[in-house]
Amino acid sequence: MRRNPIAVNWRPFLRPRTAPRVSRPHVRTESSQASRVDRITAKLPRRLQKYTNGLRNAPVSHIVSFLILHELTAIVPVLGLFGLFHYTNYVPVTYMMGHFGSYVQDGVSRFEKYFKRKGWFGFGQEDSETMTATNSRSTSEEAMERWHSGDGRYKVVVEIALAYAITKALLPLRIAWSVWATPWFAGVLIRAKGIFTRKP
């Protein structure tokens, strides 16, 4: 018995239908938050990383709470220390350069470029246009010289660079405190969410 040639020719094109893909954005969000936690905790000394291992399997509320606390422990000290240095005569440049010089240099380079680009604290557009590709050491040394000469613009740069350096040096303590406070802060966030989502 001869086969029907049409049936034979169409057989390769008959494939089972695949189920449509279902996007799960919350899964990607959770994994990105977890990877961000890993990047933050990887900066800790190895002996302290064992205290942060529990965050990898923690509920989403705990991960979000940890990330918020970590940001707060960066922003609040920088602003507080900058205010202390700016409104008092206490500016520990010598000590910080001797113990955390690389952090100070990084801060000076970072904030000088940022203020020039934004035109803040007396920096103008011409400062941004004349920026050259110098390394952070020469930039920080020039900034220190201008600070010593009484340049008000570099007074702000050096003060906020010192605040940034101290905050960066305190990273292990900041992470440890954030981990310790995470369960409590997660409870606060859940209660606050319940208050704002409660129907009248």
Side-chain angles (χ1 to χ4, degrees):
M1 182 178 176
R2 295 176 59 185
R3 291 184 178 180
N4 186 343
I6 297 176
V8 173
N9 290 339
W10 278 96
R11 186 169 296 171
F13 299 100
L14 300 176
R15 295 189 180 97
R17 295 182 63 185
T18 57
R21 283 186 175 181
V22 179
S23 62
R24 298 181 179 179
H26 67 281
V27 174
R28 289 197 297 271
T29 303
E30 291 176 15
S31 62
S32 63
Q33 289 174 344
S35 63
R36 187 176 175 194
V37 169
D38 288 338
R39 288 197 302 271
I40 293 170
T41 56
K43 299 176 183 178
L44 280 173
R46 288 189 178 276
R47 67 180 184 278
L48 297 178
Q49 289 186 17
K50 62 182 180 181
Y51 298 108
T52 62
N53 289 336
L55 287 172
R56 292 185 175 90
N57 301 318
V60 177
S61 60
H62 283 57
I63 295 176
V64 171
S65 299
F66 171 79
L67 294 175
I68 293 173
L69 288 172
H70 177 70
E71 294 300 322
L72 289 176
T73 61
I75 296 170
V76 173
V78 166
L79 295 178
L81 289 168
F82 169 69
L84 173 67
F85 300 150
H86 192 71
Y87 295 107
T88 67
N89 293 323
Y90 179 70
V91 185
V93 174
T94 305
Y95 177 84
M96 289 300 299
M97 287 298 293
H99 292 80
F100 305 101
S102 61
Y103 292 167
V104 177
Q105 291 166 10
D106 180 38
V108 167
S109 176
R110 180 189 302 256
F111 289 106
E112 182 185 17
K113 290 177 182 177
Y114 185 74
F115 294 160
K116 284 181 177 179
R117 190 167 65 249
K118 292 293 187 179
W120 292 354
F121 301 109
F123 290 102
Q125 187 64 32
E126 65 279 1
D127 296 307
S128 179
E129 293 172 354
T130 57
M131 286 176 64
T132 56
T134 55
N135 59 49
S136 60
R137 174 174 284 278
S138 62
T139 301
S140 63
E141 288 175 353
E142 182 182 353
M144 291 298 177
E145 290 175 3
R146 295 193 180 200
W147 173 70
H148 281 296
S149 67
D151 190 330
R153 298 175 304 172
Y154 284 89
K155 182 177 186 295
V156 174
V157 170
V158 171
E159 289 167 349
I160 200 163
L162 290 176
Y164 166 82
I166 293 173
T167 303
K168 194 169 182 179
L170 293 175
L171 180 63
L173 291 177
R174 288 166 41 213
I175 292 178
W177 184 85
S178 298
V179 171
W180 175 80
T182 288
W184 167 80
F185 193 64
V188 171
L189 291 181
I190 291 173
R191 287 194 295 272
K193 181 181 178 182
I195 293 173
F196 287 109
T197 57
R198 187 180 300 162
K199 294 182 179 180

